[in-house]
Every structure is written in C-alpha cells, then in structure tokens.
Amino acid sequence: NPRITSGCEPVAVISAEKLRDPARGPKETEAIANVLLNDDRMGKFIINNGAWRCVWRELIVNKKGLKTVYDRPGNQESDYNFSGEMLTAMIVELNRLIDKYGEVGSVWENKDTAIDLVSLLTDHVGEIRYKLYGSGNRKTLRDKDFLGPKERQRRRELDLSNAADDVANTKKDYTAYFNALEKKRWQDKQEARRLASEKNMPARK
C-alpha cells in the first residue's frame, strides 16, 4: 500500500485506561498530540500545546466528546464478571504477548512502543490475577456473565441434574390414599356382611 510510507508498525502505544485517569490522562493526551504533531501530514493542523490539557478536560471530564461504551446508562464497568476459565485464558494470552515483545535480543527489545506495550500488558496481568486469586474479590457468577464454554457446559449439566432431581422429588405419594381406600372397602364389606346376617336371622317371637 503506497500510503504506508514508514511500514506497518505502530508509532505509539496509547492506553485508554490512562487516558480516562484524572492523574495520567493529560500526559496520555500529550502523547497522542505529539505523534500527530510530528507527522508531516497532520502536524500543521494541531493546535498549540497550551490547549491540550483543556481539550482533555472537555472531552474526558466534561464528556463533551462522542459517546463511548463508558457512557452507557445502567451497567457500570465493575458490573461485568468473568469466570476463572476466562480470566485464566486472558492471562495466558497476555503472557504470550509479553514474552513476544519483551524478549531480550529480539527486534523489539529497545523500541519504546514495545517497552510501553509490555508495561501496559504487565499491569493488566496483575489486575486479572487479583480478580482470579484475590481474597474475597470474586463475585457470584450469573448466566449473563462471561463464563467460557467449559463453565457454561458445566452449568447446563448441573441444571439438567437439578431438573431431574426436582421431578423425582415432586412425584406425589399416593400410599395414604390407597390405604384409606382399602380400609373403606374392608369396612363396607364388613357392614354388608352384618346387614346380610341380620336379614337372614329368624325373627324372635
């Protein structure tokens, strides 16, 4: 592609979490602006750096920019929960990327973008490990949470087992009814015999 003049490689790594953070957001905004400022095609359109912090405050703090997933009404980010299966898969994948871009002697070793990426991914691994192993931090999983195929299958099997148990436990016991019916029949027979005996008994003079 003739438009990719410097190869297909990132010029900066930006963190959305840092951008939304009150303490680190302005500095992350500067990183974005500096990349654009140093681009021959975009640099002439970038406003003076004295206004960058103001732009960040209006967009992030005062929410005057485009709506994002964080602006959705109702659920908060903390409302979403992941199963141990999903959290473990995340850690495996993040560690794979950390090993790839943090490998000593690799083409990425001394590149700022790779160093920044490894730092961000390492932070994420720490957060996920805390969710997975942190004392008292795990929430009760709901069916609408991110469960993963193994956990969802386990729940299906458990639901089927519970349903079978419910059916077995709700079968009506008719023992008392049939016992009472048999007793009534016996009493009726006894009464019929008594009446027949009285009928055949000779009359007293």
Side-chain angles (χ1 to χ4, degrees):
N1 189 331
R3 294 184 181 182
I4 304 177
T5 56
S6 301
C8 187
E9 184 177 318
V11 294
V13 175
I14 304 300
S15 167
E17 286 81 6
K18 287 184 179 180
L19 192 62
R20 294 172 59 238
D21 184 84
R24 299 179 294 176
K27 187 172 181 61
E28 202 71 3
T29 300
E30 290 180 10
I32 298 173
N34 279 319
V35 168
L36 298 176
L37 186 63
N38 294 324
D39 186 283
D40 294 337
R41 298 160 297 180
M42 297 295 299
K44 59 185 177 182
F45 300 109
I46 303 303
I47 60 176
N48 185 276
N49 60 10
W52 294 352
R53 184 175 291 267
C54 178
V55 170
W56 172 83
R57 183 172 58 252
E58 290 299 298
L59 293 177
I60 304 300
V61 179
N62 298 330
K63 299 184 180 299
K64 292 185 178 180
L66 297 174
K67 297 297 182 182
T68 70
V69 64
Y70 301 106
D71 299 311
R72 289 179 179 175
N75 292 337
Q76 301 295 320
E77 184 177 359
S78 58
D79 293 333
Y80 296 97
N81 200 24
F82 296 84
S83 69
E85 174 189 348
M86 296 293 284
L87 294 174
T88 301
M90 293 179 197
I91 292 173
V92 169
E93 179 60 18
L94 290 176
N95 281 334
R96 183 187 70 82
L97 294 173
I98 290 171
D99 290 342
K100 176 180 178 179
Y101 293 104
E103 182 181 0
V104 176
S106 71
V107 295
W108 305 101
E109 182 179 7
N110 297 315
K111 293 192 176 183
D112 290 339
T113 50
I115 293 171
D116 290 343
L117 178 61
V118 169
S119 175
L120 289 173
L121 296 180
T122 301
D123 288 344
H124 286 319
V125 168
E127 293 172 0
I128 295 172
R129 284 187 182 279
Y130 180 73
K131 289 181 179 180
L132 183 59
Y133 304 115
S135 177
N137 197 55
R138 296 296 304 280
K139 301 177 183 177
T140 300
L141 288 172
R142 304 159 297 180
D143 287 340
K144 68 177 183 179
D145 287 329
F146 297 91
L147 302 178
K150 293 180 181 178
E151 174 63 20
R152 197 168 291 282
Q153 180 61 28
R154 186 190 71 80
R155 289 186 165 229
R156 288 195 194 100
E157 293 173 356
L158 182 61
D159 287 343
L160 289 174
S161 177
N162 289 339
D165 290 343
D166 289 342
V167 171
N169 293 333
T170 54
K171 286 184 177 180
K172 291 185 177 180
D173 187 355
Y174 293 101
T175 303
Y177 169 78
F178 286 112
N179 287 341
L181 182 62
E182 185 64 24
K183 182 178 180 180
K184 181 68 169 58
R185 290 176 60 188
W186 183 82
Q187 290 174 340
D188 290 344
K189 286 182 178 180
Q190 292 296 103
E191 182 65 14
R193 289 173 182 171
R194 185 185 66 78
L195 293 176
S197 178
E198 290 180 354
K199 184 177 180 182
N200 296 329
M201 187 178 297
R204 294 183 181 179
K205 294 183 179 181

